[in-house]
Amino acid sequence: MKALKKQSAASAATASGSPVRRKKYKKENFLEFLCVLPAVFLVILLNHYPLVELVRYSFTDWNMLKKTYKYVGLKNWTWFFSTLETNHVWNAFKVTFIYTVLHLAIIIVVGLLLALLFNRMTKSFSFMRSVVFMPHYIAMSSVAVIFVWLFNESYGVFNYLLKVVGLDPVAWLSSSSMAIFSLVIVASWRGIGYNMLIYLSAMQGISKDYYEAAALDGANKFQVFRDVTLPLLSPTTAFLLVTQFISSMKVYNLVDIMTSGGPARSTEVMVYLLYKMTFEDYRIDRASVVSILFFIFMVIITALTMKWQDRKVNYDA
């Protein structure tokens, strides 16, 4: 009788999962951790370790021309803040910020308008959507090479078309006032299709009930767009703002191929400046300081955007 009671108690404990099931769960969790461990190792090795090394280099005098280096404390940080007006970092930051704002304004607004235009399921509009999105498949370096020829002042296609209609040629890439806008045009031409497709997917996911209710209330098309479509697209807009902001601030290939930072540093963006400091001036120590501050700025802007997103973004769709 006692043996039967012990057996029933053990079976009840097993059924409830207390000792045996907990042991099984621990074993499963450990095996799952072992499966994830290689990915965690790669993330630490390729992302976090270089960042730690970058901080360490900022306290050295390593200039890549010497085999050895020594720690110099805050000397590089003092150099940055004491020569901010003459070390070209502030100019590169302003150029990068202007490029980012113009690029974001074009690809977000035009992408949204094209999504509204192509939000139809007919074959002709499907073809047009494909045409608009197609430049996104082309590598940025290839796009830059093509537009260098199109922007050429002597035999470029754009100046030839201006000449046909009786206008004067434009110094697209050799003018300090036009070069940055030329880069924005090229980057926007390539990026509009991606933003259009993201907005289009979001629009097609909005319930028709909202539009039917707005129609019953007598709202016109503009009111429907302002009061229904735009608020329900706010999560998509927030996503595009964050991702495209980060991408725009890291622009490099376009500048390197088309202008090399010129003329007169008018297109010298932050990443290109970091490249020059590292591989032309061989000052990894100073480039590390600029990189860290640039990284902190990106983190702060992203965090503020995410905080704004939590307060203002509407997820009712």
Side-chain angles (χ1 to χ4, degrees), residues 202-228:
M203 286 180 186
Q204 294 180 355
I206 297 176
S207 174
K208 302 298 182 183
D209 296 338
Y210 294 104
Y211 296 108
E212 293 175 0
L216 291 175
D217 291 338
N220 56 38
K221 291 184 178 181
F222 176 76
Q223 291 172 331
V224 170
F225 171 73
R226 182 191 62 192
D227 299 329
V228 178

Side-chain angles (χ1 to χ4, degrees), residues 112 115-116 198-206 211 225 228-240 313-314 317:
L112 176 59
L116 287 171
I198 298 298
Y199 270 126
L200 191 60
S201 301
M203 286 180 186
Q204 294 180 355
I206 297 176
Y211 296 108
F225 171 73
V228 178
T229 305
L230 270 184
L232 296 179
L233 287 178
S234 55
T236 305
T237 302
F239 165 77
L240 290 175
V313 172
N314 189 334

Side-chain angles (χ1 to χ4, degrees), residues 118 120-135 196-197 200:
F118 295 146
R120 296 172 174 83
M121 299 307 293
T122 60
K123 291 184 178 180
S124 59
F125 279 100
S126 298
F127 172 75
M128 291 300 298
R129 289 198 298 264
S130 302
V131 171
V132 174
F133 183 73
M134 195 175 297
M196 177 206 68
L197 198 64
L200 191 60

